[in-house]
Amino acid sequence: SLQFITMYQNLLKLDPTGKLIRQLAFDKNINIRWNISTYQDLLGADPSGELIKRLANDESESVRGAIAGHKDLLKLDPSGEIARQLANDESGTVRGAIAGHKDLLKLDPSGEIIKKLSNDDDWFVRTNITSRKDLSKIQINANESIIREYIKYFL
């Protein structure tokens, strides 16, 4: 089935032009779009980065979440623009995927996304941030500023 093929086959090897990946990335079947977003070489299929930008705006939170957690997100989006967009997604699943991304500190050297997500309403997002060892220093600073604001409020 096409679902199986999009998960287990390197489509860029089958079609080095990337046209097949670009076409299937917008299939009506959400599982195919998710498989493309998760398992296929998006940058190889579209070096311009337009494909990743369009998938980051997919109607399905699972597809947006796949982009947010994509292992090559830093290569796909060196500016961090897509990461910032997905950190503001309406879905806690998508924000949680960004919060848990292995390259979050490189995607967000300023720490702004990290600080924002550490105060997210969704416990899953906050847990993904607070459980990270590499972000502990930024997290401490974020917590200090929250405590200072809280103290100012009561004084």
Side-chain angles (χ1 to χ4, degrees), residues 142-155:
N143 287 340
E144 285 175 4
S145 67
I146 293 166
I147 292 168
R148 283 190 196 107
E149 290 301 314
Y150 186 72
I151 291 169
K152 283 181 193 176
Y153 176 76
F154 282 105
L155 294 177

Side-chain angles (χ1 to χ4, degrees), residues 38 66-76 101-103:
T38 303
I67 296 301
H70 199 286
K71 65 182 177 57
D72 292 330
L73 186 58
L74 187 59
K75 285 184 204 167
L76 295 165
H101 197 282
K102 68 180 179 67
D103 290 326

Side-chain angles (χ1 to χ4, degrees), residues 23-142:
Q23 184 177 4
L24 291 173
F26 302 102
D27 193 272
K28 65 181 179 192
N29 183 324
I30 184 176
N31 296 315
I32 290 173
R33 294 194 319 269
W34 185 85
N35 285 348
I36 293 292
S37 300
T38 303
Y39 300 113
Q40 298 300 321
D41 182 353
L42 301 176
L43 199 55
D46 179 24
S48 75
E50 283 306 306
L51 179 60
I52 186 88
K53 288 178 184 170
R54 288 185 60 194
L55 289 168
N57 288 297
D58 193 273
E59 66 187 44
S60 165
E61 75 179 53
S62 65
V63 172
R64 295 190 314 273
I67 296 301
H70 199 286
K71 65 182 177 57
D72 292 330
L73 186 58
L74 187 59
K75 285 184 204 167
L76 295 165
D77 177 37
S79 71
E81 175 187 335
I82 294 170
R84 283 188 293 281
Q85 172 195 329
L86 294 172
N88 289 300
D89 196 275
E90 63 190 29
S91 165
T93 301
V94 175
R95 295 190 313 275
I98 283 290
H101 197 282
K102 68 180 179 67
D103 290 326
L104 184 57
L105 206 48
K106 292 176 185 169
L107 287 162
D108 178 37
S110 71
E112 290 307 310
I113 293 174
I114 296 160
K115 289 173 189 171
K116 178 196 174 307
L117 294 177
S118 70
N119 296 305
D120 198 277
D121 290 340
D122 190 302
W123 69 269
F124 174 69
V125 176
R126 290 190 314 273
T127 301
N128 273 357
I129 288 290
T130 57
S131 66
R132 297 181 62 113
K133 304 275 186 252
D134 60 334
L135 305 180
S136 60
K137 186 174 182 179
I138 291 173
Q139 181 64 31
I140 289 166
N141 292 338

Side-chain angles (χ1 to χ4, degrees), residues 1-11 24 31-32 34-36 38-40:
S1 81
L2 191 53
Q3 229 175 294
F4 181 83
I5 291 168
T6 57
M7 184 182 291
Y8 294 107
Q9 295 295 313
N10 180 339
L11 297 182
L24 291 173
N31 296 315
I32 290 173
W34 185 85
N35 285 348
I36 293 292
T38 303
Y39 300 113
Q40 298 300 321

